[in-house]
Amino acid sequence: MTSSLERTFRITALAEATSFLALLVATYVKYGHDEPVGVQILGPLHGLLFIAYVLLAFNLASRAGWATRTTGLVLVGAVLPFGGYVVDRWLARRPLGATG
């Protein structure tokens, strides 16, 4: 079950990271060109993906037996630009069933 959960988390991590970068661009457009529609659409979408990322990270951490430090670093990945991409790559390189 962890592999299915891990796959779901990796997809969510990539979607969350992409929405975060798109939201940063939309924020620039909002304040640089007075066009708020991108933020109005991407803000709630990114918020939902962020919440899903955090919930899935905690769920996966408990099932996979991650150390507290590992869980913390994965959660930091949600608040850094490109962080979700780094977390996805880290998960892809781990041997199946690896913990910690």
Side-chain angles (χ1 to χ4, degrees):
M1 179 189 281
T2 302
S3 64
S4 174
L5 178 60
E6 186 174 312
R7 190 174 323 112
T8 301
F9 176 71
R10 288 183 59 204
I11 291 167
T12 303
L14 293 173
E16 189 274 339
T18 302
S19 72
F20 186 25
L21 294 174
L23 184 58
L24 291 175
V25 171
T27 301
Y28 168 77
V29 171
K30 175 182 178 179
Y31 292 107
H33 302 283
D34 197 31
E35 187 57 52
V37 71
V39 172
Q40 292 169 345
I41 294 168
L42 290 170
L45 176 63
H46 172 69
L48 287 172
L49 288 168
F50 177 83
I51 291 168
Y53 179 102
V54 171
L55 293 175
L56 287 167
F58 278 124
N59 195 343
L60 185 58
S62 68
R63 290 177 189 249
W66 289 351
T68 303
R69 181 178 186 271
T70 301
T71 304
L73 290 172
V74 167
L75 292 173
V76 166
V79 296
L80 296 176
F82 302 101
Y85 299 115
V86 173
V87 169
D88 172 64
R89 186 159 175 99
W90 171 73
L91 285 171
R93 289 180 162 199
R94 284 180 38 240
L96 283 175
T99 61

